[in-house]
Amino acid sequence: MSGASPTPRRRRRTTAALAVGLAGALALSLPAAQAVAGGPGKGKPEKPAKPGPTVELQVLALNDFHGALEPPTGSGGLATREHDHGEHETIEAGGVEYLATALREAREGHDRSVTVAAGDMVGATPLLSALFNDEPTIEALNLLEMDVVGVGNHEFDSGWEELIRLQEGGCHPVDGCYDEGREFEGADFPFLAANVVHEDTGVPILPPYTVRNMKGAKVGFIGVTLEGTADIVTRAGIEGLEFLDEAETINRYTRELKRKGVNAVIALIHEGGHAPSPAYNHDCDAGGGLSGPIVEIAENTHPAVDVLITGHTHRPYVCTIPDPAGNDRLVTSAQSNGVLFTELTMEYDRKHKDIVRASVEGTNRVVHRERERASDLTALLDYWRDLAGAVAGRPIGWIAEDITQDRNIPESPLGNLIADAQLAHAREVDPRAAIALMNPGGIRTDLVYAASGDEGDGVVTYGEGFAVQPFSNYVVLLDLTGEQLVRVLREQVSGPNLTANKILQPSEGFSYTLDLTREGAERIVADSVTVDGEPVDPSATYRVAVNSFLAGGGDGFPTLAEGTDVVYGGLDLDALIDHLGATSSPENPLTAPAADRITVIR
């Protein structure tokens, strides 16, 4: 299949770290552990202790890497810089070869350094990683000298047992090993899952925390994913699991670490917020501060936690939020796809075995592509590219311009294209299909006109199509009444989606009005909803196509799970490939659909 494969540099296995974490996990079943599950500190605030001699620590942090081994294209590969007078500059960034060099340069001169991540390192990955069940990404993270990773929701895309395999190694149970004589060895670093527990025992599926000893400076890291993970991943992969409250879980293990003499604690939280600017260097605190779910989590997380490293929202920020004792605490995020990393520096008080809160500083660093590529990462990528062969470069369509997705607007050209593709596929399965709806979170990047390789401008390759829709969801047909259909639309802007952007992308012929001057469910103007120009009849039945994730009620759409006469079609990616083949050619490339199916009142 290929020549000799590069051997990723193996570091000492993390058995000791895993043992520390699992000891804490098993303690969940003990009465003593039950007794410490209260809120953050109580009673009179402690007087600040007189600082002792200190040493400097460095923490390099990533989040939402999503297996972006090759330089990401489109909006997913851009970092935004803010200049002194408010102008914004976009910078092409990312790519694991450049990231490795950047991290190695950042570590120079720091003899107490640790590299960590706050979830979604795998899952929703481009072809080069996903084709091999994300083994290439784990091997790349090993070469990056990753030390600790908290789980995110996408670590569960292929089920929790597959996550355990990525930790421990071994050939894939279905696909086997990908090259003769080369078995996947797993992650050199521990995945942490403090708030992901078995429903029957309450024990975490992976260690809740680990302690890093950096030349006498002991720091505990606790990893949690968002409590709502069950709502945004395929249910079959998390059967029997429960996702607990983030702050309560962190508080529990912070107290456990303190009982063990570990006073310095950093939380890796796969939940985040929204800064007032998209610029990675924006002064967050001067510009209005963070909004979003991480604010409440931070306000309820134990004052003994020194830093919150976050993710999930794909936004860059370095902000402060007061802890429950009223003291400012740093909350950071490094955007996504490895275009940035956060460098944190802090002083560690050797006498009190704690981080000096006032010393903590954070900066988001751009992974510029002008720097030298790391040769060991290049060799690793070349190995996996060789195995991927001609699959990624196969043409599947032709476009005349960029066709983009943007989660910050209600409707995007790429979202509409995918909905049209799924409706066309659904009508081949059942001619009664009238509507297709696509969740924006399932669209991972743009279709870019410029060539990514030697295929030529305007050519859409299989690899590019896969990067747009990497989840291998099925197109599912189901019946909804008109009343249920309107209820689905209202779930876009109410309940768990009240403050989120979960506007479903509509197929051609389906339209309605979104009135942003109203609040909650009332933002959907019920009498504006039409199918092929006709008002929706609340008592009529409509055949609707969605992907299998949405059909299970994912992304906060429980009404879709009430659909009847459910029929499974083919894969969503195959639907897109077929649609591009039917609607485009080298002579007649496809133009971007107009984003005019939802009328927005602001």
Side-chain angles (χ1 to χ4, degrees), residues 26 34 39 57 69 81 89 101 105 109 122 124 157 221 223 227 231 283 344 351 394 436 491 505 508 531 543 547:
L26 292 173
Q34 300 285 356
L57 307 183
L69 302 176
R81 177 178 176 81
E89 171 194 6
T101 300
E105 290 173 350
V122 297
D157 282 350
F221 292 88
E227 184 182 6
D231 296 326
D283 187 343
L344 291 145
K351 176 181 177 182
R394 176 170 64 88
E491 286 168 353
Q505 307 295 282
E508 188 174 9
V531 178
R543 197 71 169 146
N547 62 42

Side-chain angles (χ1 to χ4, degrees), residues 253-272:
Y253 288 112
T254 298
R255 286 186 287 270
E256 184 170 310
L257 284 165
K258 288 180 72 67
R259 290 199 305 273
K260 294 182 175 183
V262 179
N263 299 322
V265 180
I266 293 176
L268 308 175
I269 307 174
H270 191 71
E271 180 60 289

